[in-house]
């Protein structure tokens, strides 16, 4: 990013230290967010103001390089964890916003890296990521849903994405479409596939937001189906063309940032076990996955993530396997911890008003959101298999 | 409506025995008409818990406990037996090559009940790797190389076999092995995952065969076809050490045309003093093997349906297949994840084969003794006996490293080298 592109007040203000940022995020999470958590879960309330406040604090842009200094991925993950501890759905939307900022910054496209990125980082613009389908496509799990036909000055894109989160009418998201060139039209499947990645603005012509069915724990995440009909994208929207080398560069960072959700929800679950220890410790001692053991496992995992967060753009296969494994471990730990927290709390955690049962549902989301545990394992197996000429 | 207390004495909290709802005098319960500052004693008797509906008498004084005190107490009463600990995880072995299976056999021979789990990236079938170098000369059909399927061996030895499963990380604090099919606990872990081909940057993995296990060998054989039926193929082998020379010999006997390259001036240059190179070259003079020494491969590229290999000195070779036999290296992923001592391979104690972690041992091609790897067949059975005795708590059977005697299975002229 060029410092000259930035508004003066942004370049002049010193960035808040990591401790300050986390303290400010914690105050928002445990204050206004905690009060809305039930409404987010039960009524599908989209916490727009809280997200804007978090963005303004820098909670979703800590990982982005800025004139004040290089991005700090672990700080972004810790901020996401602070929020996820209180509300997993909001933690997930922080990831959407954070990863969308990553797309813009890594695009190398001046049209996206100047004012658009600045607005995004400050929470003036908000976005999501429509990369669930493409990520599964690259892992050879499903095929691409959006098709881009080259036209004069850009592409025309058609297709439907089933669910994209953190969207509102004036939001946007990073998306990927398969390029339909003349060879593919002629039925020649031997040509290597090419994809284009672009910024998809929800209020642009040819884009329609359609309602989704209700989600467990994630009803308030602004999740919509996106239908594209002859939607034109030009140079101003292109994030990467071709997309593959770009995805290879950002994929580890994309997955790594998700660890914030698992760490936060797990910590919330552990805290809720201690909350009943005084009353119920005499019976809870008979449960497996006690809070002290889970905390040790969580701390070790967070330590691993902290080390990996220093090199988010390492493109080596071994590094990516490490990231995938940490993400899988986070999801598994999250499932175990939230399940155990419910066992620890018993009936009081089972009340619909209790965050303990909500966390169980949030942990299911961590385990199934792309990349799901099964996808992570399949991808690790694929990357661990020796490549042969056959 | 009750009258709020001005708060002269500190606010107290009361907890519902049924649901854990905490009544805080400072906050009151405005939904039930209790203003902030309503003392618990002043709450009408007909008031009920706003969460679960039990009565006031089901509440008791609550003092937020100190987390440190709770931790202290919890650690003092760790469950003697949780369901997870009720069954012992036993021994987990990574790798189902000769080392892994020999250890499974040796363990089972000493202990009929010990749980044994074998994790392997391949199918786990039992076969003799040395036969891969002589299968054509001995006219062993590829499908007959498997002596016993992994599933049958696992049944016979009462071993839990996880085939096509990649071990990703050791979490030594929790004694767990993370794999692509879930996480396994272990009492004792044995790394027997072998070594893999070390591929120089000039040899792209997508274009070069590496014959270090049965799966890759069978794929190569399928790609080569039978020379008698589909015609001979041109095969270029990079590296004329033991494996490269044996494969050259065997594939040539199978009717294929071999070009063998090496940076050294002769094959088997390690055994120059015993004139091994001169002997095999003499033996090969009537076979379709062309040896080109003193060359280093600069690049390999596709050229239509064929491949072109270019050396740094500018020679070109057109070929159907390229096989890299450029040496082996031990994968470091698992050892690194557990922080095991590493010296050109997993460093183990020469007598006990213990790694730097008390619960992890290693054997076979992945270990080094004093920094030296010894990737031969002979030591494996003795290593398995050493480990089985130690893991089953029997009288120690110390391992003794011996100088390897190498039998070169160049069937046109077998050599024994020291």
């Amino acid at each position: 990013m060029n410092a000259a592109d930035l508004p003066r007040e942004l370049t002049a203000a010193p960035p808040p230290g990591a401790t300050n940022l986390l303290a400010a995020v914690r105050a928002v999470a445990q204050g206004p967010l905690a009060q809305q958590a039930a409404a987010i879960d039960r009524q599908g309330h989209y916490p727009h103001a809280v997200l804007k406040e978090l963005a303004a604090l820098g909670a979703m842009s800590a990982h982005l390089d800025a004139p004040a200094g290089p991005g700090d991925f672990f700080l972004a993950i810790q901020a996401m964890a602070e929020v996820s501890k209180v509300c997993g759905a909001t933690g997930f939307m922080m990831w959407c916003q954070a990863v969308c900022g990553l797309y813009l910054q890594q695009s190398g496209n001046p049209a996206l890296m100047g004012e658009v990125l600045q607005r995004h980082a400050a929470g003036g613009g908000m976005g999501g990521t429509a990369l669930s389908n493409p990520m599964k496509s690259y892992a050879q799990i499903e095929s691409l849903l959006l098709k881009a036909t080259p036209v004069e000055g850009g592409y025309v894109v058609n297709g439907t994405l089933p669910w994209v989160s953190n969207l509102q009418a004036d939001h946007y998201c990073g998306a990927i479409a398969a390029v339909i060139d003349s060879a593919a039209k002629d039925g020649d499947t031997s040509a290597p596939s090419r994809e284009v990645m672009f910024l998809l603005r929800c209020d642009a012509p040819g884009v329609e937001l359609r309602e989704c069915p209700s989600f467990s724990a994630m009803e308030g995440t602004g999740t919509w189906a996106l239908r594209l009909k002859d939607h034109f994208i030009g140079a101003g929207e292109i994030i990467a063309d071709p997309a593959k080398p770009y995805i290879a560069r950002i994929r580890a960072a994309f997955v790594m940032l998700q660890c914030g959700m698992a760490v936060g929800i797990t910590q919330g679950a552990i805290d809720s076990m201690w909350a009943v220890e005084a009353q119920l410790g005499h019976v809870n001692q008979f449960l497996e996955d006690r809070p002290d053991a889970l905390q040790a496992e969580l701390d070790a995992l967070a330590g691993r993530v902290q080390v990996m967060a220093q090199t988010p753009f390492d493109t080596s296969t071994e590094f990516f396997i490490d990231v995938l494994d940490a993400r899988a471990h986070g999801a598994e730990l999250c499932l175990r911890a939230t399940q155990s927290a419910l066992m620890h709390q018993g009936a009081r955690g089972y009340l619909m008003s209790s965050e303990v049962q909500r966390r169980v549902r949030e942990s299911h989301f961590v385990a199934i959101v792309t990349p799901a545990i099964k996808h992570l394992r399949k991808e690790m197996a694929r990357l661990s298999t020796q490549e042969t000429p056959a | 409506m009750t009258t709020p207390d001005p708060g002269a004495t500190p606010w107290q909290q009361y907890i519902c025995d049924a649901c854990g709802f905490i009544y805080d005098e400072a906050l009151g319960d405005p939904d039930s008409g209790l203003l902030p500052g309503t003392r618990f004693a002043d709450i009408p008797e007909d008031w009920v818990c706003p969460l679960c509906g039990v009565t006031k008498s089901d509440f008791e004084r609550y003092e937020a406990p100190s987390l440190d005190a709770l931790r202290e107490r919890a650690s003092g009463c760790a469950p003697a037996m949780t369901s997870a600990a009720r069954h012992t995880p036993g021994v987990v072995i990574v790798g189902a090559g000769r080392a892994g299976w020999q250890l499974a056999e040796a363990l089972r021979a000493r202990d009929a009940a010990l749980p044994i789990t074998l994790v392997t990236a391949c199918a786990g079938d039992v076969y003799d790797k040395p036969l891969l170098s002589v299968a054509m000369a001995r006219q062993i059909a590829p499908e007959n190389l498997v002596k016993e399927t992994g599933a049958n061996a696992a049944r016979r030895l009462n071993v839990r076999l996880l085939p096509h499963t990649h071990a990703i990380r050791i979490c030594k604090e929790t004694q767990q092995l993370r794999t692509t099919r879930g996480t396994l606990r272990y009492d004792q872990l044995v790394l027997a995952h072998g070594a893999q081909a070390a591929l120089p940057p000039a040899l792209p993995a997508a274009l070069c065969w590496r014959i270090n296990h049965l799966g890759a060998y069978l794929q190569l054989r399928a790609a080569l076809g039978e020379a008698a039926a589909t015609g001979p193929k041109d095969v270029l082998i990079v590296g004329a050490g033991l494996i490269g020379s044996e494969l050259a010999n065997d594939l040539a006997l199978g009717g294929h045309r071999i070009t063998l390259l090496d940076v050294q001036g002769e094959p088997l240059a390690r055994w120059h003093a015993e004139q091994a190179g001169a002997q095999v070259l003499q033996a090969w003079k009537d076979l379709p093997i062309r040896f080109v020494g003193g060359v280093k491969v600069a690049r390999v590229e596709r050229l239509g349906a064929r491949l072109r290999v270019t050396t740094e000195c500018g020679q070109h070779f057109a070929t159907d297949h390229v096989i890299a036999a450029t040496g082996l290296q031990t994968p470091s992923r698992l050892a690194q994840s557990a922080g095991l001592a590493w010296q050109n391979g997993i460093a183990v104690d020469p007598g006990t084969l213990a790694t730097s972690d008390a619960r992890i041992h290693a054997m076979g091609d992945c270990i080094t003794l004093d920094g030296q790897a010894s990737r031969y067949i002979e030591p494996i059975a003795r290593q398995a006996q050493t480990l089985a005795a130690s893991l089953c708590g029997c009288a120690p059977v110390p391992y003794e490293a011996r100088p390897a005697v190498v039998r070169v299975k160049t069937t046109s002229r077998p050599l024994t080298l020291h």
Side-chain angles (χ1 to χ4, degrees):
Chain A
M1 197 190 305
N2 187 343
D5 297 339
L6 298 177
R8 277 187 57 81
E9 58 276 19
L10 258 173
T11 50
T19 322
N20 291 347
L21 174 64
L22 291 177
V25 168
R26 197 173 302 132
V28 173
Q30 296 179 0
L33 179 60
Q35 286 173 11
Q36 295 170 38
I40 294 168
D41 178 33
R42 311 272 292 279
Q43 285 112 50
H45 166 67
Y46 178 72
H48 207 161
V50 167
L51 286 167
K52 274 181 177 301
E53 199 178 344
L54 290 168
L57 291 172
M60 287 97 108
S61 53
H63 59 300
L64 300 177
D65 292 337
D72 181 342
F73 270 76
F74 191 61
L75 183 56
I77 289 167
Q78 284 175 297
M80 208 179 295
E82 281 296 342
V83 169
S84 302
K85 207 158 77 174
V86 176
C87 173
T90 308
F92 170 55
M93 287 185 280
M94 285 179 76
W95 174 77
C96 296
Q97 177 78 0
V99 84
C100 187
L102 179 73
Y103 300 158
L104 297 172
Q105 182 162 70
Q106 292 293 317
S107 71
N109 184 348
L112 300 176
M113 294 170 71
E115 200 208 323
V116 175
L117 176 57
Q118 274 318 302
R119 276 194 71 230
H120 183 85
M126 296 226 130
T129 163
L131 257 55
S132 171
N133 161 252
M135 285 291 179
K136 282 188 255 182
S137 159
Y138 286 127
Q140 295 162 13
I141 292 164
E142 58 188 45
S143 58
L144 280 172
L145 293 167
L146 296 183
K147 315 281 183 210
T149 309
V151 294
E152 181 70 33
Y155 299 89
V156 163
V157 187
N158 281 286
T160 301
L161 294 166
W163 29 64
V164 183
S165 299
N166 200 28
L167 293 188
Q168 302 281 282
D170 60 343
H171 289 190
Y172 43 80
C173 61
I176 289 182
V179 176
I180 309 297
D181 54 18
S182 46
K185 261 187 192 153
D186 297 343
D188 175 8
T189 51
S190 65
S193 65
R194 187 162 73 87
E195 301 83 28
V196 57
M197 181 162 175
F198 59 100
L199 190 70
L200 173 55
R201 294 183 168 90
C202 297
D203 54 5
V207 181
E208 188 194 348
L209 291 181
R210 294 167 74 96
E211 257 190 77
C212 290
S214 298
F215 288 104
S216 168
M218 294 290 134
E219 190 55 8
T221 55
T223 301
W224 299 80
L226 275 174
R227 179 179 285 190
L228 275 65
K229 193 161 184 340
D230 295 334
H231 170 59
F232 175 78
I233 51 168
E237 283 79 39
I238 301 296
I239 292 174
D241 186 5
K244 270 200 198 82
Y246 176 90
I247 293 296
R249 194 167 76 244
I250 64 149
R251 61 181 185 173
F254 173 98
V255 175
M256 191 194 302
L257 280 170
Q258 290 183 329
C259 293
M261 289 187 273
V263 169
I265 296 171
T266 303
Q267 188 63 62
I270 293 171
D271 293 350
S272 70
M273 296 180 195
W274 287 122
V276 294
E277 187 65 14
Q279 287 77 45
L280 303 177
H282 65 103
V283 279
N284 284 346
Q285 61 173 302
F286 295 97
L287 292 168
E288 51 266 273
D289 282 329
R290 296 279 284 145
D292 46 357
L294 288 169
Q295 188 70 58
E297 197 172 336
L298 177 62
D299 291 347
L301 174 64
R304 263 159 67 197
V305 173
Q306 184 167 16
V307 173
M308 292 188 297
Q310 290 165 9
T311 56
F313 299 108
D314 182 337
T315 54
S316 72
T317 301
E318 288 302 309
F319 180 73
F320 193 44
I321 293 174
D322 284 338
V323 172
L324 294 172
D325 182 54
R327 164 79 175 86
H329 196 160
E332 292 159 17
L333 184 59
C334 197
L335 286 173
R336 274 169 45 214
T338 56
Q339 175 88 350
S340 186
L342 188 57
M343 298 304 108
H344 276 71
Q345 287 241 341
R348 63 188 69 176
Y350 198 62
L351 293 172
M352 210 54 201
S353 58
S354 168
E355 80 271 16
V356 175
Q357 55 77 27
R358 169 162 52 84
R359 269 193 209 100
V360 173
R361 292 179 283 120
E362 290 173 350
S363 76
H364 291 161
F365 179 74
V366 173
I368 61 121
V369 68
T370 306
I373 289 175
K374 59 189 177 180
H375 300 150
L376 291 161
R377 291 183 183 166
K378 184 181 181 194
E379 185 68 352
M380 284 190 278
R382 190 178 74 84
L383 294 171
S384 301
T385 302
Q386 182 178 294
E387 195 180 1
T388 66
Chain B
M1 241 347 134
T2 53
T3 319
D5 186 294
T9 50
W11 301 118
Q12 309 287 345
Q13 294 183 321
Y14 292 79
I15 187 167
C16 169
D17 280 342
C19 74
F21 172 80
I22 292 170
Y23 177 80
D24 188 330
E25 291 180 340
L27 302 175
D29 176 19
D31 290 346
S32 309
L34 303 181
L35 293 177
T38 305
R39 292 292 183 188
F40 188 75
D42 298 332
I43 298 176
E45 289 305 315
D46 61 353
W47 176 78
V48 295
C49 171
L51 261 190
C52 69
V54 299
T55 59
K56 182 181 169 186
S57 60
D58 293 312
F59 278 69
E60 63 179 4
R61 262 292 299 282
Y62 175 74
E63 274 177 76
S66 111
L67 199 52
D68 288 338
L70 290 175
R71 284 203 177 105
E72 182 70 22
R73 204 177 81 183
S75 67
C77 59
M81 190 70 87
T82 66
S83 66
R86 208 166 287 131
H87 66 275
T88 56
V91 177
V92 173
I93 304 168
V94 180
R98 179 180 288 250
W101 279 119
Q102 290 250 322
L103 177 60
E105 296 256 8
L107 287 170
R108 188 53 79 226
R110 286 172 186 263
D111 187 335
L114 177 72
I116 302 171
T117 305
L118 206 52
V119 177
T120 179
C122 67
D125 293 339
V126 183
Y127 70 101
D128 287 321
K129 193 182 279 183
L131 288 182
L132 303 186
S133 299
V134 297
M136 287 193 170
R138 295 206 195 155
Q139 299 185 321
I140 304 171
E143 59 272 22
N144 293 336
L145 284 166
V146 173
K147 288 202 307 196
E148 186 179 19
T149 65
N152 284 344
R155 208 171 299 125
R156 174 170 59 81
L157 293 170
N158 186 21
V159 162
R160 179 183 176 209
L161 174 69
L162 296 180
H164 305 296
T165 302
H166 299 267
I168 299 292
R169 159 174 286 273
I170 299 165
C171 297
K172 65 175 177 181
E173 294 81 11
T174 49
Q175 290 169 237
Q176 288 180 325
L177 178 71
R178 299 185 51 76
T179 82
T180 51
R181 291 188 201 277
T183 300
L184 302 167
R185 295 189 308 124
Y186 62 82
D187 290 321
Q188 292 287 342
L189 180 66
V190 180
L191 301 179
H193 55 59
Q196 64 189 17
L199 209 53
L203 301 178
L207 303 181
C208 300
W209 296 97
R210 284 134 288 155
I211 307 306
N212 192 36
H213 51 76
L214 179 62
Y217 179 79
L218 293 178
Q219 283 183 304
L220 170 68
R221 286 289 300 266
L224 282 175
E226 292 297 323
T230 53
K233 296 283 189 339
D234 292 319
V235 180
L236 185 140
I237 300 174
V238 185
L242 207 51
I243 300 295
S245 297
E246 289 182 353
L247 276 172
N249 180 87
D250 201 50
L251 298 179
L253 288 171
H256 301 290
R257 297 182 295 254
I258 311 299
T259 303
L260 182 60
L261 308 187
D262 202 288
V263 288
Q264 303 291 334
E266 58 176 356
L268 302 173
R270 233 174 102 186
W271 294 277
H272 175 77
E274 299 175 59
Q275 297 180 326
Q279 292 185 63
V280 294
L281 284 175
Q282 172 66 25
W284 287 344
K285 68 182 191 329
D286 296 325
L287 284 176
I289 300 178
R290 171 170 56 144
F291 175 76
V292 183
V295 294
K296 195 169 177 194
V297 173
R299 63 182 177 276
V300 180
E301 59 215 322
R302 240 183 254 286
L303 205 68
R306 306 239 298 167
L307 298 169
R308 183 168 72 175
V309 177
T310 306
T311 64
E312 285 185 354
C313 56
Q315 296 185 65
H316 297 295
F317 301 91
T319 185
D320 296 309
H321 294 279
V322 173
I323 299 173
T326 41
L328 297 172
Q329 65 185 12
T330 303
S332 58
R333 159 167 291 281
L334 291 181
Q336 246 172 23
S337 69
L340 300 183
W342 182 269
Q343 205 181 358
N344 197 29
I346 301 168
V348 294
D349 178 275
T352 64
L353 305 175
T355 70
S356 55
D357 184 291
R359 292 188 177 272
I360 306 174
H361 291 73
M363 65 181 295
D365 286 6
C366 63
I367 63 168
T368 55
L369 304 176
D370 301 319
Q372 288 297 310
S374 168
R375 296 184 173 120
Y376 300 109
I377 294 290
E378 185 275 330
I380 289 176
R382 294 189 294 114
Q383 291 173 359
Q385 290 306 327
T386 298
L387 284 178
S390 139
L391 299 181
C392 295
C394 306
V397 179
Y399 175 69
E400 272 175 62
R402 296 176 193 158
V405 177
V406 180
R407 290 173 188 88
V408 188
K409 298 176 290 303
T410 41
T411 44
S412 43
R413 176 179 294 232
L415 304 171
T416 299
L417 303 170
H418 299 270

